[in-house]
Amino acid sequence: MPEEVAVGCARPTGGPVGEEPDSTLTSEQKTRKEVRSMIKVGQKAPDFAAPGYQKGKFINIKLSDYLGKWVLLCFYPGDFTFV
Amino acid sequence: MSIDSMFTHKMWDDDELSKMVDGGVPFPMLSDAGGKVGTVYGVYDEDNGVEARGRFIIDPDGIVQGYEVLTPPVGRNVNETFRQLQAFQLVRETKGGEATPSGWRPGKATLKPGIDLVGKVWKEWKVEQAFD
């Protein structure tokens, strides 16, 4: 589950984890990749790691840590907006 | 999850959200600087550098069961999200033996998919049930 992290001056960030995207894609494959813009229901949620804040602590989270639980993943345009 | 840093999340929670929710937001507020995760989920708007209002329901096996994505000016309906979550949980508990027709909410009748139901949904489910 969430792992607490020490506060530093850098702005940590996360990203997809798991299979590395193939960097040797042909231009045709790259075009296909850009067209695929939405994930599909009934398929695996792409795993990711991300830093965050929860109840007074800075944490690191991986989506796959939550296997076995229901997850609501919500994106929003920015802090200080509504949900 | 948004493109804001975890430091901004802390300030927002400390200064504003804790005034709306006692003790602040209980769940993790995640940072997706650069929109890398949002890109994979198809909600990152590269031109504006922000993420759309995307909401994904992910089951205990890590499977996406549903999602909703709105442009920034319109907020979500949290009750509808919970209704869908309860419906997916019921379907999972019954191992697909029950399905939740339009308008279903907890306590209302479900359908039992099978050969006997083919052509007989009209007997089991009325249009009014979609709206009541």
Side-chain angles (χ1 to χ4, degrees):
Chain A
M1 283 298 141
E3 151 210 358
E4 190 171 0
V5 292
V7 183
C9 289
R11 272 180 51 162
T13 188
V17 295
E19 285 170 43
E20 282 284 309
D22 188 355
S23 57
T24 59
L25 290 176
T26 66
S27 61
E28 191 191 335
Q29 285 171 317
K30 275 181 185 156
T31 310
R32 273 208 345 244
K33 195 169 168 246
E34 280 160 21
V35 169
R36 189 208 62 192
S37 59
M38 204 62 217
I39 61 171
K40 290 198 170 80
V41 290
Q43 295 195 356
K44 200 113 188 123
D47 196 14
F48 62 83
Y53 172 77
Q54 183 183 25
K55 299 280 248 177
K57 286 176 180 164
F58 291 122
I59 53 172
N60 271 322
I61 266 182
K62 232 173 120 181
L63 179 65
S64 50
D65 290 342
Y66 288 82
L67 283 173
K69 293 184 173 205
W70 288 87
V71 173
L72 278 178
L73 175 63
C74 290
F75 295 87
Y76 59 96
D79 287 351
F80 302 97
T81 73
F82 54 92
V83 179
Chain B
M1 170 168 272
S2 74
I3 48 96
D4 298 281
S5 72
M6 58 190 194
F7 305 114
T8 313
H9 285 334
K10 181 181 188 303
M11 294 309 291
W12 189 27
D13 194 44
D14 285 356
D15 293 350
E16 189 174 28
L17 298 180
S18 56
K19 296 185 175 82
M20 302 179 191
V21 181
D22 242 3
V25 167
F27 46 77
M29 302 168 73
L30 301 180
S31 173
D32 185 24
K36 282 183 272 185
V37 179
T39 299
V40 173
Y41 278 78
V43 298
Y44 182 62
D45 174 354
E46 253 176 59
D47 294 339
N48 296 305
V50 296
E51 277 156 359
R53 297 185 190 281
R55 179 232 64 191
F56 297 79
I57 297 178
I58 302 169
D59 78 10
D61 295 320
I63 305 295
V64 178
Q65 292 294 348
Y67 60 75
E68 177 184 55
V69 184
L70 307 175
T71 53
V74 173
R76 288 169 270 226
N77 184 331
V78 178
N79 283 336
E80 170 59 8
T81 296
F82 286 146
R83 187 198 70 84
Q84 288 183 21
L85 186 58
Q86 287 168 309
F88 283 121
Q89 287 176 337
L90 180 145
V91 169
R92 186 178 171 92
E93 277 160 23
T94 62
K95 296 187 165 42
E98 293 182 40
T100 61
S102 175
W104 181 89
R105 55 189 148 69
K108 283 177 76 173
T110 57
L111 295 178
K112 299 183 178 50
I115 196 159
D116 296 340
L117 190 64
V118 177
K120 302 285 189 304
V121 172
W122 66 276
K123 283 186 176 172
E124 306 287 330
W125 181 87
K126 309 294 176 202
V127 173
E128 301 79 55
Q129 288 176 247
F131 302 103
D132 67 9

